[in-house]
Amino acid sequence: MSFIRKATSGDIPQIAAIYEHILDREEQGPTATGWVRGVYPTKATALEALKAGELFVLLEEDHVAAAGRINQLQAPEYAQATWHYPHIPAEQIMVLHTLVVSPSFAGKGLGTTFVHFYEQYAREQGCTCLRMDTNVKNTAARKLYAHLGFQEAGIVDCIFNGIPDLQLVCLEKKLEG
């Protein structure tokens, strides 16, 4: 059974291993995230989120199977998106960053489970709107997020997390009730 909790320093090696496993698959061809080894994401990405108290892990079979950062920080590039709900105040917007699911646990619905947790966490924090982003190349994530009710709010050409020539897909969902 899956369990989600705030990450600890002991989780960092497993999270970094997930990043590397995804990057290995990217370089071999079956996965398209648009990430770049040594640039983003790295162990430092996870450590920064941990130090901020914003890193969460999904445990499956006593292993970190998924991880993501949840906070209210919107990337500067988000200002270029055409948001569907631009009137919602920033303090009511929750953002999910760097959601990863270990390829070893792919196909088990863990991405969906994590996004549902994100939605509930946002509600508990008094937020009414969710935002996130992905690379235009990450068609699997785009399909999942659309299935979960997220709307694309534009594609921003930018340098993002140190990756040049990136097309950043901004996504949004308004929470009901």
Side-chain angles (χ1 to χ4, degrees):
M1 173 145 184
S2 299
F3 175 72
I4 299 175
R5 61 164 169 75
K6 281 209 170 180
T8 67
S9 59
D11 298 322
I12 296 299
Q14 289 184 71
I15 296 168
I18 292 171
Y19 297 161
E20 292 301 314
H21 193 176
I22 291 170
L23 288 161
D24 289 344
R25 292 180 54 83
E26 174 101 6
E27 291 167 359
Q28 295 165 4
T31 300
T33 60
W35 290 347
V36 176
R37 187 180 306 278
V39 177
Y40 180 84
T42 64
K43 181 179 179 181
T45 306
L47 283 169
E48 179 184 318
L50 177 71
K51 288 176 186 170
E54 301 167 345
L55 186 61
F56 293 84
V57 293
L58 183 151
L59 301 176
E60 184 80 14
E61 302 169 17
D62 295 324
H63 297 283
V64 174
R69 184 176 191 172
I70 302 173
N71 62 30
Q72 293 187 277
L73 301 175
Q74 298 183 66
E77 293 79 5
Y78 282 22
Q80 298 175 50
T82 306
W83 297 109
H84 299 279
Y85 307 103
H87 62 281
I88 295 178
E91 61 270 11
Q92 291 183 15
I93 298 171
M94 191 66 70
V95 184
L96 175 61
H97 312 268
T98 322
L99 173 61
V100 293
V101 175
S102 171
S104 301
F105 291 92
K108 295 186 177 190
L110 300 185
T112 297
T113 299
F114 201 98
V115 172
H116 287 159
F117 169 81
Y118 162 50
E119 291 178 9
Q120 185 58 39
Y121 180 81
R123 281 187 181 92
E124 291 169 2
Q125 305 306 310
C127 293
T128 60
C129 186
L130 304 174
R131 290 186 179 163
M132 66 173 80
D133 61 72
T134 192
N135 190 312
V136 74
K137 295 177 182 179
N138 196 340
T139 56
R142 291 173 75 185
K143 183 178 177 182
L144 171 64
Y145 299 147
H147 176 74
L148 295 174
F150 285 82
Q151 299 176 33
E152 292 190 4
I155 298 173
V156 177
D157 293 320
C158 59
I159 297 171
F160 194 70
N161 290 321
I163 301 172
D165 303 319
L166 191 135
Q167 290 185 292
L168 187 71
V169 179
C170 295
L171 300 118
E172 183 175 45
K173 179 178 181 177
K174 187 173 183 190
L175 295 174
E176 304 298 331

